[in-house]
Amino acid sequence: MDPDISIMFQSPSSRGLSEDRVRVELSPRYNRRPLPQYEARIAESWSQRCQQNPWLFNGSKFRIHSASLEREESGEEEGGEGRQERGVLLRLRLGLTCYRDFMGTNWAPWAAVLQQRGLGELGDSQAYLAEPLGVGAMLLTADDSFVFLKRSERVGEAPGKIDIPGGHPEPKAVAVGIPEESIQLKDLSEELVVQELFFSVLAEIRDEVNLPLHSLHKPILLGIARNNTSAGRASAEFYIRCSLTSEEVKHFYWEGGPEAQESTNIVFIKREEVLRLEENALLWSEFCPSAKGAVKLYSLVQPV
């Protein structure tokens, strides 16, 4: 596998996982573990970045701790013997983190040291990292092409690389009316967090590709991929079908959406070519890790 990526979780079924198959468990146990001697460095690093880029702002994010499959059991079987299995569920264990802490841990020069200490001291290489959970979309058009975006040279991460539409689920979308800097886990509903996870990827497509939401089918979760170039930051990758053709998608894209400045071009690649992308070393090298992870998960799951 490409060293830029690793797979944290893969759907066990070619159907992927729909929203009703996902559960969230929120707890402060799943927050980043602070390391006193690094907290001042994190704060100073953020202060320096803000001086260099005044448009930067901190924001609350969901922190992924772990994910596991479990059997759903509900109701008594006829005769009262045992319980009836109803299928497989994915449980995501989430805490809270922020963009500042991401830049000061996963994206910091000392990230590898934090991973080594986490593994040695707590048995968890990610324990001292922010680990904000991202989302990404393998978006398939009506004429069987996947949608990719050429990232702007002005973005801070992977400038000029080929990416997928994506971003982050937002705690502020769940804790409506609460100032973002004041959001706590007790303010969040676990059911609404699941809804935000699945809706946020649609919102990113709407904002980055400028597609109307009614043209997008319900997201199917393929799995979770890690970006090893940012100390294993995780992103939930989805498969989403679109009712528009490539030409129609291109038309909407060039009209420009709210986040049009993040990319400079739109790229379409046929489904059968996507399944062989890793064999094309030159083209594969143009993809950023988030896109590589999504393509890899799609190739592994191949949803029907």
Side-chain angles (χ1 to χ4, degrees):
M1 186 179 295
D2 189 309
D4 284 354
I5 59 172
S6 55
I7 304 301
M8 178 178 176
F9 165 77
Q10 174 188 335
S11 169
S13 165
S14 61
R15 295 188 299 274
L17 294 171
S18 55
E19 184 175 327
D20 65 310
R21 297 289 89 196
V22 178
R23 301 288 184 271
V24 159
E25 179 183 340
L26 300 173
S27 172
R29 300 192 310 273
Y30 306 141
N31 291 347
R32 178 178 71 89
R33 299 285 288 270
L35 199 57
Q37 57 266 50
Y38 278 88
E39 298 310 299
R41 296 176 72 176
I42 292 171
E44 177 61 24
S45 172
W46 177 252
S47 177
Q48 291 175 2
R49 286 181 181 276
C50 289
Q51 290 175 10
Q52 295 166 2
N53 300 291
W55 52 266
L56 273 181
F57 65 94
N58 196 15
S60 180
K61 305 296 177 188
F62 294 107
R63 180 184 189 272
I64 187 160
H65 174 273
S66 56
S68 62
L69 287 173
E70 57 188 49
R71 285 285 177 182
E72 179 187 29
E73 296 183 353
S74 178
E76 296 292 328
E77 293 182 343
E78 287 188 19
E81 297 180 0
R83 300 181 68 83
Q84 182 180 9
E85 286 191 349
R86 297 181 62 85
V88 173
L89 296 174
L90 172 64
R91 183 169 298 278
L92 300 176
R93 298 172 187 86
L94 303 179
L96 283 177
T97 187
C98 64
Y99 187 66
R100 185 204 77 150
D101 287 3
F102 164 66
M103 298 303 291
T105 59
N106 290 74
W107 201 242
W110 50 83
V113 176
L114 294 178
Q115 286 183 300
Q116 292 168 5
R117 290 195 59 171
L119 187 62
E121 297 169 6
L122 300 170
D124 177 4
S125 64
Q126 309 305 101
Y128 295 132
L129 303 182
E131 292 288 272
L133 177 63
V135 294
M138 288 295 292
L139 177 63
L140 187 67
T141 64
D143 52 349
D144 213 34
S145 289
F146 279 105
V147 177
F148 298 93
L149 301 174
K150 184 73 175 294
R151 291 175 63 82
S152 167
E153 294 288 349
R154 296 183 178 182
V155 297
E157 189 174 350
K161 292 287 189 178
I162 297 174
D163 202 359
I164 54 174
H168 298 87
E170 302 290 351
K172 66 182 179 183
V174 180
V176 178
I178 299 176
E180 187 168 5
E181 65 276 8
S182 302
I183 294 174
Q184 301 179 45
L185 287 170
K186 65 181 179 61
D187 302 318
L188 305 172
S189 157
E190 292 177 344
E191 290 185 4
L192 292 181
V193 171
V194 174
Q195 291 179 26
E196 166 61 9
L197 177 65
F198 277 74
F199 177 74
S200 63
V201 71
L202 298 176
E204 293 294 346
I205 295 170
R206 176 196 63 199
D207 295 345
E208 294 183 7
V209 193
N210 197 37
L211 299 187
L213 290 176
H214 64 74
S215 71
L216 305 175
H217 292 224
K218 291 183 178 180
I220 297 297
L221 180 63
L222 299 170
I224 302 172
R226 287 194 177 278
N227 178 349
N228 294 333
T229 69
S230 55
R233 180 183 51 171
S235 180
E237 310 297 359
F238 295 86
Y239 169 62
I240 301 171
R241 291 169 53 227
C242 177
S243 61
L244 304 174
T245 65
S246 302
E247 282 300 316
E248 291 170 327
V249 169
K250 185 187 298 184
H251 173 77
F252 277 106
Y253 172 80
W254 286 114
E255 284 186 339
E259 297 180 6
Q261 75 283 354
E262 294 184 4
S263 64
T264 58
N265 204 356
I266 190 165
V267 179
F268 298 94
I269 303 179
K270 285 293 185 180
R271 178 184 179 277
E272 59 269 21
E273 294 178 41
V274 165
L275 292 172
R276 300 192 302 269
L277 262 180
E278 285 188 85
E279 300 172 13
N280 186 336
L282 183 60
L283 181 57
W284 185 248
S285 68
E286 296 182 28
F287 279 65
C288 64
S290 55
K292 288 179 177 180
V295 168
K296 185 65 177 181
L297 278 167
Y298 178 80
S299 300
L300 291 170
V301 177
Q302 294 194 37
V304 292

